PDB file of all heavy atoms in Angstrom:
ATOM      1  N   ARG O   1      31.988 -79.190  44.113  1.00  0.00           N
ATOM      2  CA  ARG O   1      32.689 -78.469  43.066  1.00  0.00           C
ATOM      3  C   ARG O   1      32.446 -76.984  43.266  1.00  0.00           C
ATOM      4  O   ARG O   1      31.300 -76.537  43.388  1.00  0.00           O
ATOM      5  CB  ARG O   1      32.149 -78.898  41.700  1.00  0.00           C
ATOM      6  CG  ARG O   1      32.833 -78.250  40.517  1.00  0.00           C
ATOM      7  CD  ARG O   1      32.207 -78.700  39.208  1.00  0.00           C
ATOM      8  NE  ARG O   1      30.803 -78.362  39.118  1.00  0.00           N
ATOM      9  CZ  ARG O   1      30.329 -77.205  38.662  1.00  0.00           C
ATOM     10  NH1 ARG O   1      31.146 -76.268  38.277  1.00  0.00           N
ATOM     11  NH2 ARG O   1      29.035 -76.983  38.593  1.00  0.00           N
ATOM     12  N   PRO O   2      33.498 -76.185  43.330  1.00  0.00           N
ATOM     13  CA  PRO O   2      33.302 -74.738  43.507  1.00  0.00           C
ATOM     14  C   PRO O   2      32.669 -74.138  42.254  1.00  0.00           C
ATOM     15  O   PRO O   2      32.926 -74.578  41.134  1.00  0.00           O
ATOM     16  CB  PRO O   2      34.709 -74.201  43.739  1.00  0.00           C
ATOM     17  CG  PRO O   2      35.614 -75.235  43.190  1.00  0.00           C
ATOM     18  CD  PRO O   2      34.904 -76.551  43.286  1.00  0.00           C
ATOM     19  N   LYS O   3      31.835 -73.133  42.474  1.00  0.00           N
ATOM     20  CA  LYS O   3      31.164 -72.485  41.350  1.00  0.00           C
ATOM     21  C   LYS O   3      32.151 -71.632  40.577  1.00  0.00           C
ATOM     22  O   LYS O   3      33.026 -70.998  41.167  1.00  0.00           O
ATOM     23  CB  LYS O   3      30.020 -71.610  41.844  1.00  0.00           C
ATOM     24  CG  LYS O   3      28.893 -72.399  42.449  1.00  0.00           C
ATOM     25  CD  LYS O   3      27.772 -71.495  42.884  1.00  0.00           C
ATOM     26  CE  LYS O   3      26.653 -72.286  43.501  1.00  0.00           C
ATOM     27  NZ  LYS O   3      25.573 -71.429  43.948  1.00  0.00           N
ATOM     28  N   SER O   4      31.970 -71.622  39.288  1.00  0.00           N
ATOM     29  CA  SER O   4      32.856 -70.806  38.458  1.00  0.00           C
ATOM     30  C   SER O   4      32.433 -69.345  38.557  1.00  0.00           C
ATOM     31  O   SER O   4      31.346 -69.006  39.035  1.00  0.00           O
ATOM     32  CB  SER O   4      32.794 -71.277  37.006  1.00  0.00           C
ATOM     33  OG  SER O   4      31.524 -71.003  36.464  1.00  0.00           O
ATOM     34  N   ALA O   5      33.288 -68.467  38.093  1.00  0.00           N
ATOM     35  CA  ALA O   5      33.000 -67.026  38.143  1.00  0.00           C
ATOM     36  C   ALA O   5      31.786 -66.705  37.278  1.00  0.00           C
ATOM     37  O   ALA O   5      30.963 -65.855  37.639  1.00  0.00           O
ATOM     38  CB  ALA O   5      34.209 -66.233  37.686  1.00  0.00           C
ATOM     39  N   ALA O   6      31.640 -67.392  36.156  1.00  0.00           N
ATOM     40  CA  ALA O   6      30.495 -67.137  35.275  1.00  0.00           C
ATOM     41  C   ALA O   6      29.180 -67.520  35.965  1.00  0.00           C
ATOM     42  O   ALA O   6      28.175 -66.809  35.846  1.00  0.00           O
ATOM     43  CB  ALA O   6      30.654 -67.905  33.974  1.00  0.00           C
ATOM     44  N   GLU O   7      29.180 -68.628  36.709  1.00  0.00           N
ATOM     45  CA  GLU O   7      27.971 -69.043  37.423  1.00  0.00           C
ATOM     46  C   GLU O   7      27.613 -68.043  38.520  1.00  0.00           C
ATOM     47  O   GLU O   7      26.442 -67.721  38.717  1.00  0.00           O
ATOM     48  CB  GLU O   7      28.177 -70.419  38.045  1.00  0.00           C
ATOM     49  CG  GLU O   7      28.158 -71.561  37.060  1.00  0.00           C
ATOM     50  CD  GLU O   7      28.439 -72.878  37.737  1.00  0.00           C
ATOM     51  OE1 GLU O   7      29.539 -73.019  38.306  1.00  0.00           O
ATOM     52  OE2 GLU O   7      27.548 -73.757  37.713  1.00  0.00           O
ATOM     53  N   ARG O   8      28.632 -67.546  39.231  1.00  0.00           N
ATOM     54  CA  ARG O   8      28.362 -66.574  40.296  1.00  0.00           C
ATOM     55  C   ARG O   8      27.838 -65.265  39.724  1.00  0.00           C
ATOM     56  O   ARG O   8      26.938 -64.643  40.288  1.00  0.00           O
ATOM     57  CB  ARG O   8      29.629 -66.343  41.115  1.00  0.00           C
ATOM     58  CG  ARG O   8      29.990 -67.526  41.976  1.00  0.00           C
ATOM     59  CD  ARG O   8      31.070 -67.174  42.964  1.00  0.00           C
ATOM     60  NE  ARG O   8      32.302 -66.755  42.320  1.00  0.00           N
ATOM     61  CZ  ARG O   8      33.358 -67.515  42.106  1.00  0.00           C
ATOM     62  NH1 ARG O   8      33.336 -68.764  42.486  1.00  0.00           N
ATOM     63  NH2 ARG O   8      34.430 -67.038  41.521  1.00  0.00           N
ATOM     64  N   LYS O   9      28.373 -64.821  38.588  1.00  0.00           N
ATOM     65  CA  LYS O   9      27.879 -63.586  37.965  1.00  0.00           C
ATOM     66  C   LYS O   9      26.453 -63.776  37.456  1.00  0.00           C
ATOM     67  O   LYS O   9      25.632 -62.870  37.536  1.00  0.00           O
ATOM     68  CB  LYS O   9      28.797 -63.174  36.822  1.00  0.00           C
ATOM     69  CG  LYS O   9      30.104 -62.598  37.309  1.00  0.00           C
ATOM     70  CD  LYS O   9      30.986 -62.169  36.160  1.00  0.00           C
ATOM     71  CE  LYS O   9      32.302 -61.623  36.691  1.00  0.00           C
ATOM     72  NZ  LYS O   9      33.208 -61.213  35.625  1.00  0.00           N
ATOM     73  N   ARG O  10      26.144 -64.974  36.950  1.00  0.00           N
ATOM     74  CA  ARG O  10      24.789 -65.259  36.471  1.00  0.00           C
ATOM     75  C   ARG O  10      23.803 -65.214  37.634  1.00  0.00           C
ATOM     76  O   ARG O  10      22.730 -64.633  37.534  1.00  0.00           O
ATOM     77  CB  ARG O  10      24.756 -66.628  35.809  1.00  0.00           C
ATOM     78  CG  ARG O  10      23.408 -66.991  35.255  1.00  0.00           C
ATOM     79  CD  ARG O  10      23.455 -68.349  34.543  1.00  0.00           C
ATOM     80  NE  ARG O  10      22.131 -68.752  34.172  1.00  0.00           N
ATOM     81  CZ  ARG O  10      21.298 -69.417  34.967  1.00  0.00           C
ATOM     82  NH1 ARG O  10      21.669 -69.747  36.187  1.00  0.00           N
ATOM     83  NH2 ARG O  10      20.097 -69.751  34.569  1.00  0.00           N
ATOM     84  N   GLU O  11      24.179 -65.809  38.775  1.00  0.00           N
ATOM     85  CA  GLU O  11      23.313 -65.759  39.955  1.00  0.00           C
ATOM     86  C   GLU O  11      23.113 -64.324  40.423  1.00  0.00           C
ATOM     87  O   GLU O  11      22.037 -63.956  40.868  1.00  0.00           O
ATOM     88  CB  GLU O  11      23.906 -66.585  41.086  1.00  0.00           C
ATOM     89  CG  GLU O  11      23.765 -68.065  40.909  1.00  0.00           C
ATOM     90  CD  GLU O  11      24.335 -68.849  42.072  1.00  0.00           C
ATOM     91  OE1 GLU O  11      24.934 -68.227  42.980  1.00  0.00           O
ATOM     92  OE2 GLU O  11      24.180 -70.074  42.068  1.00  0.00           O
ATOM     93  N   CYS O  12      24.143 -63.526  40.316  1.00  0.00           N
ATOM     94  CA  CYS O  12      24.046 -62.122  40.715  1.00  0.00           C
ATOM     95  C   CYS O  12      23.047 -61.390  39.827  1.00  0.00           C
ATOM     96  O   CYS O  12      22.226 -60.614  40.295  1.00  0.00           O
ATOM     97  CB  CYS O  12      25.421 -61.468  40.641  1.00  0.00           C
ATOM     98  SG  CYS O  12      25.444 -59.771  41.230  1.00  0.00           S
ATOM     99  N   ARG O  13      23.104 -61.646  38.534  1.00  0.00           N
ATOM    100  CA  ARG O  13      22.167 -60.987  37.614  1.00  0.00           C
ATOM    101  C   ARG O  13      20.739 -61.472  37.815  1.00  0.00           C
ATOM    102  O   ARG O  13      19.792 -60.730  37.614  1.00  0.00           O
ATOM    103  CB  ARG O  13      22.602 -61.221  36.166  1.00  0.00           C
ATOM    104  CG  ARG O  13      23.716 -60.281  35.754  1.00  0.00           C
ATOM    105  CD  ARG O  13      24.009 -60.382  34.271  1.00  0.00           C
ATOM    106  NE  ARG O  13      25.426 -60.732  34.136  1.00  0.00           N
ATOM    107  CZ  ARG O  13      25.879 -61.864  33.635  1.00  0.00           C
ATOM    108  NH1 ARG O  13      25.063 -62.763  33.179  1.00  0.00           N
ATOM    109  NH2 ARG O  13      27.168 -62.085  33.569  1.00  0.00           N
ATOM    110  N   LEU O  14      20.576 -62.736  38.223  1.00  0.00           N
ATOM    111  CA  LEU O  14      19.228 -63.274  38.431  1.00  0.00           C
ATOM    112  C   LEU O  14      18.502 -62.574  39.576  1.00  0.00           C
ATOM    113  O   LEU O  14      17.283 -62.455  39.549  1.00  0.00           O
ATOM    114  CB  LEU O  14      19.296 -64.779  38.718  1.00  0.00           C
ATOM    115  CG  LEU O  14      19.539 -65.668  37.511  1.00  0.00           C
ATOM    116  CD1 LEU O  14      19.705 -67.122  37.954  1.00  0.00           C
ATOM    117  CD2 LEU O  14      18.416 -65.557  36.510  1.00  0.00           C
ATOM    118  N   VAL O  15      19.242 -62.110  40.564  1.00  0.00           N
ATOM    119  CA  VAL O  15      18.617 -61.392  41.679  1.00  0.00           C
ATOM    120  C   VAL O  15      18.678 -59.883  41.468  1.00  0.00           C
ATOM    121  O   VAL O  15      18.478 -59.116  42.398  1.00  0.00           O
ATOM    122  CB  VAL O  15      19.259 -61.768  43.029  1.00  0.00           C
ATOM    123  CG1 VAL O  15      18.984 -63.204  43.371  1.00  0.00           C
ATOM    124  CG2 VAL O  15      20.734 -61.467  43.041  1.00  0.00           C
ATOM    125  N   ARG O  16      18.948 -59.478  40.230  1.00  0.00           N
ATOM    126  CA  ARG O  16      19.031 -58.071  39.829  1.00  0.00           C
ATOM    127  C   ARG O  16      20.110 -57.328  40.599  1.00  0.00           C
ATOM    128  O   ARG O  16      19.907 -56.213  41.068  1.00  0.00           O
ATOM    129  CB  ARG O  16      17.676 -57.383  39.985  1.00  0.00           C
ATOM    130  CG  ARG O  16      16.648 -57.959  39.059  1.00  0.00           C
ATOM    131  CD  ARG O  16      15.350 -57.227  39.147  1.00  0.00           C
ATOM    132  NE  ARG O  16      14.398 -57.834  38.231  1.00  0.00           N
ATOM    133  CZ  ARG O  16      13.116 -57.649  38.289  1.00  0.00           C
ATOM    134  NH1 ARG O  16      12.616 -56.881  39.228  1.00  0.00           N
ATOM    135  NH2 ARG O  16      12.319 -58.208  37.428  1.00  0.00           N
ATOM    136  N   GLY O  17      21.246 -57.984  40.740  1.00  0.00           N
ATOM    137  CA  GLY O  17      22.377 -57.373  41.417  1.00  0.00           C
ATOM    138  C   GLY O  17      23.427 -56.933  40.416  1.00  0.00           C
ATOM    139  O   GLY O  17      23.296 -57.129  39.215  1.00  0.00           O
ATOM    140  N   ALA O  18      24.475 -56.320  40.927  1.00  0.00           N
ATOM    141  CA  ALA O  18      25.585 -55.860  40.103  1.00  0.00           C
ATOM    142  C   ALA O  18      26.886 -56.152  40.833  1.00  0.00           C
ATOM    143  O   ALA O  18      26.986 -55.974  42.046  1.00  0.00           O
ATOM    144  CB  ALA O  18      25.461 -54.371  39.826  1.00  0.00           C
ATOM    145  N   CYS O  19      27.881 -56.599  40.080  1.00  0.00           N
ATOM    146  CA  CYS O  19      29.200 -56.851  40.649  1.00  0.00           C
ATOM    147  C   CYS O  19      29.965 -55.537  40.674  1.00  0.00           C
ATOM    148  O   CYS O  19      30.267 -54.972  39.630  1.00  0.00           O
ATOM    149  CB  CYS O  19      29.942 -57.891  39.816  1.00  0.00           C
ATOM    150  SG  CYS O  19      29.110 -59.477  39.781  1.00  0.00           S
ATOM    151  N   LYS O  20      30.215 -55.010  41.886  1.00  0.00           N
ATOM    152  CA  LYS O  20      30.884 -53.717  42.029  1.00  0.00           C
ATOM    153  C   LYS O  20      32.041 -53.850  43.010  1.00  0.00           C
ATOM    154  O   LYS O  20      32.175 -54.864  43.689  1.00  0.00           O
ATOM    155  CB  LYS O  20      29.916 -52.663  42.554  1.00  0.00           C
ATOM    156  CG  LYS O  20      28.709 -52.420  41.664  1.00  0.00           C
ATOM    157  CD  LYS O  20      28.013 -51.157  42.041  1.00  0.00           C
ATOM    158  CE  LYS O  20      26.924 -51.392  43.038  1.00  0.00           C
ATOM    159  NZ  LYS O  20      26.192 -50.184  43.362  1.00  0.00           N
ATOM    160  N   ALA O  21      32.842 -52.797  43.086  1.00  0.00           N
ATOM    161  CA  ALA O  21      33.970 -52.798  44.016  1.00  0.00           C
ATOM    162  C   ALA O  21      33.480 -52.792  45.468  1.00  0.00           C
ATOM    163  O   ALA O  21      34.033 -53.467  46.325  1.00  0.00           O
ATOM    164  CB  ALA O  21      34.870 -51.598  43.755  1.00  0.00           C
ATOM    165  N   GLU O  22      32.435 -52.005  45.763  1.00  0.00           N
ATOM    166  CA  GLU O  22      31.839 -51.999  47.098  1.00  0.00           C
ATOM    167  C   GLU O  22      30.380 -51.619  46.986  1.00  0.00           C
ATOM    168  O   GLU O  22      29.945 -50.961  46.041  1.00  0.00           O
ATOM    169  CB  GLU O  22      32.574 -51.052  48.042  1.00  0.00           C
ATOM    170  CG  GLU O  22      32.544 -49.592  47.645  1.00  0.00           C
ATOM    171  CD  GLU O  22      33.304 -48.726  48.635  1.00  0.00           C
ATOM    172  OE1 GLU O  22      34.356 -49.157  49.117  1.00  0.00           O
ATOM    173  OE2 GLU O  22      32.810 -47.624  48.909  1.00  0.00           O
ATOM    174  N   CYS O  23      29.594 -52.039  47.971  1.00  0.00           N
ATOM    175  CA  CYS O  23      28.153 -51.790  47.957  1.00  0.00           C
ATOM    176  C   CYS O  23      27.841 -50.474  48.657  1.00  0.00           C
ATOM    177  O   CYS O  23      28.540 -50.061  49.581  1.00  0.00           O
ATOM    178  CB  CYS O  23      27.412 -52.922  48.659  1.00  0.00           C
ATOM    179  SG  CYS O  23      27.606 -54.511  47.859  1.00  0.00           S
ATOM    180  N   ASN O  24      26.769 -49.828  48.221  1.00  0.00           N
ATOM    181  CA  ASN O  24      26.292 -48.607  48.870  1.00  0.00           C
ATOM    182  C   ASN O  24      25.523 -48.973  50.131  1.00  0.00           C
ATOM    183  O   ASN O  24      25.283 -50.149  50.411  1.00  0.00           O
ATOM    184  CB  ASN O  24      25.392 -47.819  47.912  1.00  0.00           C
ATOM    185  CG  ASN O  24      26.165 -47.308  46.720  1.00  0.00           C
ATOM    186  OD1 ASN O  24      27.284 -46.842  46.844  1.00  0.00           O
ATOM    187  ND2 ASN O  24      25.563 -47.428  45.546  1.00  0.00           N
TER     188      ASN O  24
END
């Protein structure tokens, strides 16, 4: 089952990341 957008954003926050247009 593909992960939902909410699950992917939650995983991103767990590793102290941010969803941005591009990475520095």
Side-chain angles (χ1 to χ4, degrees):
R1 182 182 60 87
K3 293 182 181 179
S4 68
E7 286 177 299
R8 289 191 299 262
K9 286 181 181 179
R10 181 177 173 273
E11 285 182 355
C12 184
R13 280 188 237 115
L14 283 175
V15 294
R16 295 184 180 163
C19 298
K20 300 195 268 183
E22 63 180 39
C23 297
N24 294 319

